[in-house]
Amino acid sequence: MGSGTGNDKATPTSVLQPALGTALRDYTRGELDLAHAALGDPDLHEGVHQARKAIRRARAVLAMGDGLLGPGAGLVDRELRALNDGLSSLRDAHALVEVIDRLLKRERRDDAREVLQRAREAAVATRTQVANVATRSDPGLVSRRGMLDVLRAALTALDWSRPTPAGLRMAIADSDLRSHEARLRAYEGGDDDDWHRWRRRVRRASHQRRAMEGVGLAAPEASDRFDKRTTHRLGEAQDLALLLDHCRRDSPFSKDDRDALRARARPALQRARRRIARQVAERRDACPTD
C-alpha cells in the first residue's frame, strides 16, 4: 500500500525519542508553572490545594523516567516531595473544614448538626492559626515559589532524550501493579495507612496516563479498571479517616465532641470501605481480563 520510499516507513525510535523527551519536559515544566501560579493565588488554601496537585503530577512524570533521566532526577523529585510535605499542614487544616462542611450538608439530625457546627468552628480557628504561622515565616509563600523556579530550571538539565513510548507504558504497568498490590493490602489489613497508600498509587497511575495523553500517546487501559465513582468513594473514605485522625491526635475538638464524631465516623468509614471493595470486585467480575 506504500510507495516503497523511505518516507512511508515508520519513523525510527531514535528520531521519536528527542521529540517525546522534549514534550515530557515541557509538560512537567508546565505543571511546575501551574504550581508556581497557584501559590500566588489570593485564596491561600485553594492555591495550596492546586499547587500540591500540580506538583504530584510533575512527580508522576519523573517517576515514569526513573533510572533514565539521570542522577539529577532523584534530587528534583526529593525537593518536590519536601515542598509538598511542607505544604501539607496548610492543606490538612483546610481539608478538615471541607470535610465537616460536606458532612453538614448531608446531616439532618439537629443534635448531630450541633456537634458538627462546633467542630467546624474549632477547625476554622485551627486553619487560621496554621495559615498565620505559614505566612509569617514565608510571606506570600515567596520562598516556596522561588524553590519551584529553581526546580523548573533544573528540569532542563535532565536527560530527556532517553524515554520511549514502550518505556512509558512499562512504567504505567509498574504503577498499576503497585496499585493492585496496595489494594490487596488495604482489603486484607484495613489499616488507614494501607487505604491511603492505595489511593495515592491509584492517583499516581492516573497522573501518568494523563501525562502520556498530554504528549500525544495512547495510554494503556488500567488493569484494575478503576472508574471515577470508585475514586470518588475513596476520597469520601479518606474524608472520614481524616476526621477520625483529628479526633485522637492534637485534636481541636472538645472531648465530648470527639466522642460523638468518632461514634459517627468509624462505622461510616467501615461501610464506605466495604462498598468500595464490593464495587471494585463487581467491576472486575463484569469485565474479566483476557
Side-chain angles (χ1 to χ4, degrees), residues 187-230:
Y187 285 5
E188 293 170 1
D191 181 86
D192 286 347
D193 289 340
D194 290 334
W195 280 86
H196 189 44
R197 184 180 299 108
W198 178 31
R199 182 169 178 252
R200 288 199 313 269
R201 290 187 175 174
V202 167
R203 185 172 59 197
R204 170 159 285 191
S206 175
H207 290 337
Q208 290 174 338
R209 285 181 166 82
R210 172 175 171 164
M212 276 196 74
E213 292 166 356
V215 298
L217 296 175
E221 183 180 357
S223 59
D224 267 350
R225 291 182 168 86
F226 235 61
D227 65 357
K228 290 184 178 179
R229 187 172 64 164
T230 305

Side-chain angles (χ1 to χ4, degrees), residues 82-255:
L83 183 56
N84 245 11
D85 288 347
L87 294 167
S88 63
S89 61
L90 278 167
R91 175 55 193 159
D92 287 350
H94 184 55
L96 181 60
V97 176
E98 292 179 319
V99 167
I100 296 171
D101 282 344
R102 286 191 285 270
L103 293 174
L104 273 167
K105 286 181 180 179
R106 297 196 296 267
E107 186 57 67
R108 295 292 176 263
R109 291 168 42 211
D110 289 342
D111 57 340
R113 288 186 61 82
E114 289 175 5
V115 172
L116 287 170
Q117 194 59 54
R118 288 195 299 271
R120 187 184 190 282
E121 292 169 1
V124 168
T126 299
R127 180 181 66 181
T128 300
Q129 183 181 33
V130 171
N132 288 341
V133 170
T135 53
R136 276 200 304 268
S137 63
D138 185 13
L141 305 183
V142 171
S143 68
R144 291 172 170 89
R145 297 175 76 192
M147 177 59 75
L148 282 171
D149 286 333
V150 171
L151 296 174
R152 185 188 187 281
L155 289 176
T156 305
L158 303 183
D159 187 358
W160 294 99
S161 67
R162 299 182 66 190
T164 65
L168 297 183
R169 284 190 281 271
M170 288 178 62
I172 290 181
D174 182 65
S175 291
D176 283 344
L177 177 60
R178 290 172 181 267
S179 173
H180 178 75
E181 292 171 345
R183 175 172 65 83
L184 295 180
R185 282 197 299 272
Y187 285 5
E188 293 170 1
D191 181 86
D192 286 347
D193 289 340
D194 290 334
W195 280 86
H196 189 44
R197 184 180 299 108
W198 178 31
R199 182 169 178 252
R200 288 199 313 269
R201 290 187 175 174
V202 167
R203 185 172 59 197
R204 170 159 285 191
S206 175
H207 290 337
Q208 290 174 338
R209 285 181 166 82
R210 172 175 171 164
M212 276 196 74
E213 292 166 356
V215 298
L217 296 175
E221 183 180 357
S223 59
D224 267 350
R225 291 182 168 86
F226 235 61
D227 65 357
K228 290 184 178 179
R229 187 172 64 164
T230 305
T231 303
H232 178 70
R233 285 186 168 173
L234 273 171
E236 290 180 337
Q238 183 61 26
D239 283 353
L240 294 166
L242 177 67
L243 181 62
L244 284 169
D245 190 54
H246 282 84
C247 287
R248 64 173 181 247
R249 291 202 304 268
D250 299 324
S251 177
F253 313 133
S254 70
K255 183 181 183 306

